[in-house]
Amino acid sequence: MKKKAVVNNTSVCQVRMQAINDSMSILSGKWKFHILGTLIEGNKMGFMDLLREINGIGTKMLSKELQDLEMNQLVNRTVMNTKPITVEYSITKYGETLSPLIDELANWGIKYRQSVYGKK
Amino acid sequence: MKKKAVVNNTSVCQVRMQAINDSMSILSGKWKFHILGTLIEGNKMGFMDLLREINGIGTKMLSKELQDLEMNQLVNRTVMNTKPITVEYSITKYGETLSPLIDELANWGIKYRQSVYGKK
DNA sequence: TCACGTAGTATCCTATAGGAAACTACTTCC
DNA sequence: GGAAGTAGTTTCCTATAGGATACTACGTGA
């Protein structure tokens, strides 16, 4: 039996792997999907709105993750010149392209839970 | 201006958040998507095949992640009674339900890369 | 007998992710 | 003047993810 060559270490597979790495590096961490998901369905939210809406997140993480997402053009941050200064976060058009991915992730999780606890 | 109540802290949103948490806890880590993706397109692979195919992974991580995935019924591990003992890893029917998610992730990453470096 | 291929385990180490809590700074309401 | 709401920043701490390396154990072919 001869040494089996590496099956598919070029072109398509490598591009795919790289693509998955790219996606993961941008969407990594415990909170990105939650933040994006929340902004997708409730557009225009303040920092405190997000903090209340996303169960368990703290100010440090929210702040840091929002900066990451802004840097990657997935969310907009607009400072409003209101009486007490407020900030509006919203999803960008580009961020909206993540909608199917997030839906897929959520739906898979729901199906998973059903398969574990039995559907009722 | 009255205190704004929490917008949506029940039912739908909470279920969605929980679902995303479920998915993420199962698919967490640097390598799960790569392993699953590789097994989806190249069914029946040995440990060493995977090690060679997945660029950058080491034996410890591969072993650990495969155990996780097996525990969650996403991959099958079958010990073959061949001359030198070999092991066959393959994706389960249940694991295949992740195919659209992985495709979505990969395609998004590809589009992202194009948008950053310009399409050529 | 020794190198090589199979399939992992075990050990050690480090970087970072992420939580808790306190603090800043500004404004408005009471 | 003080509480409370806005939007964060800073500091400190710890758990864990993950890499590198070495090792086990078994069988085969030269």
Side-chain angles (χ1 to χ4, degrees):
Chain A
M1 201 188 295
K2 267 297 170 71
K3 189 172 85 173
K4 206 203 295 188
V6 170
V7 181
N8 228 335
N9 219 351
T10 36
S11 63
V12 188
C13 282
Q14 289 304 299
V15 168
R16 222 178 131 83
M17 291 246 176
Q18 192 180 51
I20 291 176
N21 282 332
D22 287 348
S23 298
M24 290 205 306
S25 74
I26 292 164
L27 304 169
S28 65
K30 199 174 169 182
W31 300 109
K32 300 259 170 60
F33 285 115
H34 293 299
I35 295 172
L36 291 167
T38 304
L39 283 175
I40 283 172
E41 51 184 299
N43 79 312
K44 306 250 180 222
M45 303 184 73
F47 186 84
M48 284 298 150
D49 295 334
L50 286 164
L51 199 62
R52 277 185 289 258
E53 204 77 6
I54 301 168
N55 213 311
I57 201 171
T59 56
K60 196 192 75 171
M61 276 299 115
L62 182 53
S63 169
K64 190 221 146 205
E65 297 298 68
L66 281 170
Q67 281 171 27
D68 280 12
L69 293 171
E70 197 194 349
M71 221 183 305
N72 286 313
Q73 264 102 52
L74 299 178
V75 310
N76 291 313
R77 177 179 183 275
T78 336
V79 180
M80 311 301 283
N81 57 345
T82 44
K83 324 76 175 288
I85 180 174
T86 48
V87 177
E88 264 183 16
Y89 289 98
S90 60
I91 194 100
T92 62
K93 261 173 294 159
Y94 192 54
E96 272 167 12
T97 65
L98 281 167
S99 209
L101 181 52
I102 297 175
D103 286 347
E104 196 59 45
L105 195 68
N107 290 332
W108 193 86
I110 288 166
K111 273 185 235 144
Y112 176 80
R113 184 164 280 263
Q114 283 171 348
S115 85
V116 170
Y117 298 106
K119 59 226 137 197
K120 56 148 182 275
Chain B
M1 204 186 294
K2 265 302 169 73
K3 189 173 82 171
K4 206 201 297 183
V6 171
V7 181
N8 229 334
N9 219 351
T10 36
S11 64
V12 188
C13 282
Q14 289 305 298
V15 167
R16 221 179 131 83
M17 292 244 174
Q18 192 180 50
I20 290 176
N21 281 333
D22 288 347
S23 298
M24 291 205 304
S25 74
I26 292 163
L27 303 170
S28 65
K30 199 174 168 181
W31 299 111
K32 301 257 168 64
F33 285 115
H34 292 299
I35 296 172
L36 291 167
T38 305
L39 283 174
I40 283 172
E41 50 185 299
N43 78 312
K44 306 248 181 225
M45 303 183 74
F47 187 84
M48 285 298 151
D49 295 334
L50 286 165
L51 198 63
R52 278 185 289 259
E53 204 77 6
I54 301 169
N55 212 309
I57 199 170
T59 56
K60 196 192 76 171
M61 275 299 113
L62 181 54
S63 169
K64 189 222 148 207
E65 297 297 70
L66 281 169
Q67 281 171 27
D68 280 12
L69 293 171
E70 196 194 350
M71 220 182 306
N72 285 313
Q73 264 100 54
L74 299 179
V75 311
N76 291 313
R77 177 180 183 275
T78 336
V79 179
M80 311 301 285
N81 56 347
T82 44
K83 325 76 177 285
I85 179 175
T86 48
V87 177
E88 264 182 15
Y89 289 98
S90 59
I91 195 99
T92 62
K93 260 172 295 159
Y94 193 54
E96 273 167 10
T97 64
L98 281 168
S99 209
L101 181 53
I102 297 174
D103 286 347
E104 195 61 44
L105 196 69
N107 291 331
W108 193 86
I110 288 166
K111 273 184 236 144
Y112 177 82
R113 185 165 280 264
Q114 284 171 348
S115 85
V116 170
Y117 298 107
K119 58 229 139 196
K120 57 147 180 280

